[in-house]
Amino acid sequence: MDIRQVGALTFQLDFSQPLYEQILEQIRSALAKGEIGLGEKIPSVREMAHALKINPNTVMRAYKELERDGLTEKRRGQGTFVTTSEERVKTFRAELVKEYIDDFLNKMESLGYSWEDIEGYMQERGSRRKGSDLT
Amino acid sequence: MTASIVNCQQITKRYGDKHALDELNVSIPENKIVGILGPNGSGKSTFFRMITGLVKPDSGEIEVLGKRPGSGINREIAYLPDRARWYPNHTVAGAFEWAEKLLPGFDIANAKELADFMEMKRDMRVSGMSRGQEARLMLILCMARNVPLIILDEPFSGIDVISRERIIEGMIDYLSDRDQTILISTHEIYEVEGMFDYAIFLNQGKAILSGDTEELRAQYGSMHDIFRQFYRYGKGGF
């Protein structure tokens, strides 16, 4: 696993998995966590490819998908920027919440747990977490 | 469907009773950075010499840029052979002037841009260069040409890590806005695999696996992992 820094962004690349998916995921996650702010400029394809030492086409593919999802926008002659729409980032965070929960529920269901079981476990974990916060 | 720049069907080339290429079938997509990967003796150099018309196949068909290989198309190919050297009494600037007169498509502005990317001073003399610096110069002379096909045979071999990084970064910067096909053979994959769009694995004169690197990663893992499996399973585990 290689850790590489590009401006304010940190990437961990695993060459045994598709690289474009990793770049996409890691930029998305930086956006969702607020590590890159609204309207902020992100590195150009060339800067990103140079710093990560990977093919510019791979970076381009990730950038196109971010743009298509409305998370970034290209400004003519200026580069690529994070969307200025707070609403868009909010929706995106809500989409992530839905995705994580669905993922969790699918795993629990595949283990054979009912919704009641899951609810019970969640409450137990929740109160334990709160408890540990206080100590 | 992408057009292919090199197309081989059932190419065989023997030296004595050794098959350098053994019914090789390969189709190389254009405008990509292509890794030709395989251990020493797997047929990489013979394949490149065949593309440039220096070696003729014993049997099979090969098309390069839609034509038969040979002097007719060689002005459209920049070829850096294995272990190439440059005149020791030239400086970087002197080599560029020489190349401008003699190499078809050589663009001195491109060469200067590449020299900056790869941190090569113009007044440096070849006789005083490290092996890595000389390799950078050879690479610049090749890549600065406005030709559709560039062939680099083992450009990283025997080069220090710093030179290798400069070369990779320089190539990435330079290639960001260019339509060229670049074939790079190497048996040292680990640090360079990120730059390939497409990879072809050769073993014992045959192409045993090829494809888009991102798809290969999804299916088998890194190019480095795939390469190591070759050694483990001998004739290729796929």
Side-chain angles (χ1 to χ4, degrees), chain B residues 25-203:
Chain B
N25 290 308
V26 156
S27 176
I28 300 179
E30 66 179 4
N31 299 338
K32 304 222 181 241
I33 305 180
V34 182
I36 308 290
L37 311 175
N40 289 325
S42 56
K44 304 187 297 279
S45 296
T46 307
F47 177 51
F48 285 164
R49 283 187 210 116
M50 202 166 278
I51 293 174
T52 50
L54 295 170
V55 161
K56 299 264 178 284
D58 297 330
S59 60
E61 289 293 321
I62 175 166
E63 262 193 2
V64 179
L65 295 154
K67 297 179 195 108
R68 268 170 187 277
S71 54
I73 55 164
N74 277 355
R75 46 185 306 115
E76 295 178 67
I77 303 174
Y79 172 45
L80 178 64
D82 203 5
R83 293 184 285 258
R85 308 299 303 264
W86 197 255
Y87 303 106
N89 56 342
H90 274 183
T91 58
V92 171
F96 288 177
E97 280 167 32
W98 187 93
E100 202 178 22
K101 283 182 207 127
L102 280 132
L103 297 176
F106 185 84
D107 182 330
I108 201 155
N110 288 351
K112 286 177 178 164
E113 194 184 350
L114 274 161
D116 291 341
F117 285 145
M118 296 192 192
E119 298 183 3
M120 291 287 287
K121 291 206 179 74
R122 308 281 197 283
D123 57 359
M124 206 189 290
R125 200 165 280 282
V126 175
S127 54
M129 286 181 184
S130 70
R131 193 153 171 203
Q133 287 166 330
E134 193 177 352
R136 279 186 247 170
L137 173 64
M138 297 303 298
L139 201 69
I140 292 167
L141 292 171
C142 215
M143 288 185 54
R145 293 173 59 187
N146 288 320
V147 290
L149 180 59
I150 295 176
I151 299 176
L152 310 173
D153 196 357
E154 294 282 358
F156 308 112
S157 107
I159 293 175
D160 59 288
V161 179
I162 302 298
S163 282
R164 198 179 299 192
E165 285 196 353
R166 291 271 173 284
I167 288 175
I168 293 169
E169 288 169 1
M171 283 173 113
I172 287 169
D173 284 337
Y174 181 73
L175 292 169
S176 292
D177 31 46
R178 226 159 266 272
D179 285 333
Q180 278 174 323
T181 307
I182 308 199
L183 312 185
I184 302 174
S185 74
T186 181
H187 62 276
E188 294 158 290
I189 298 175
Y190 189 67
E191 296 121 320
V192 303
E193 73 160 82
M195 65 187 294
F196 299 135
D197 294 282
Y198 196 89
I200 296 172
F201 289 86
L202 292 186
N203 201 30

Side-chain angles (χ1 to χ4, degrees), chain A residues 28 30 32 46 48 50 56 64 69 77 79 82 96 102 105 110 113 122 127 133:
Chain A
R28 275 180 176 162
R46 178 188 280 206
M48 190 71 96
H50 181 105
K64 275 192 181 147
D69 290 347
V82 174
L96 277 184
D102 284 347
L105 289 177
S110 76
Y113 291 108
M122 293 287 286
S127 54
D133 278 351

Side-chain angles (χ1 to χ4, degrees), chain A residues 60-84:
Chain A
M60 186 92 79
R61 196 166 156 202
Y63 274 33
K64 275 192 181 147
E65 198 150 325
L66 287 168
E67 209 184 321
R68 197 167 51 229
D69 290 347
L71 290 172
T72 61
E73 51 202 35
K74 236 195 230 158
R75 289 184 210 150
R76 193 185 288 269
Q78 291 184 68
T80 302
F81 294 80
V82 174
T83 174
T84 51

Side-chain angles (χ1 to χ4, degrees), chain A residues 15-16 19-20 46 50 55 57, chain B residues 173 177 194-195 197 214 222:
Chain A
F15 281 86
S16 66
L19 301 176
Y20 112 92
R46 178 188 280 206
H50 181 105
N55 194 298
N57 291 332
Chain B
D173 284 337
D177 31 46
M195 65 187 294
D197 294 282
E214 289 281 87
S222 70

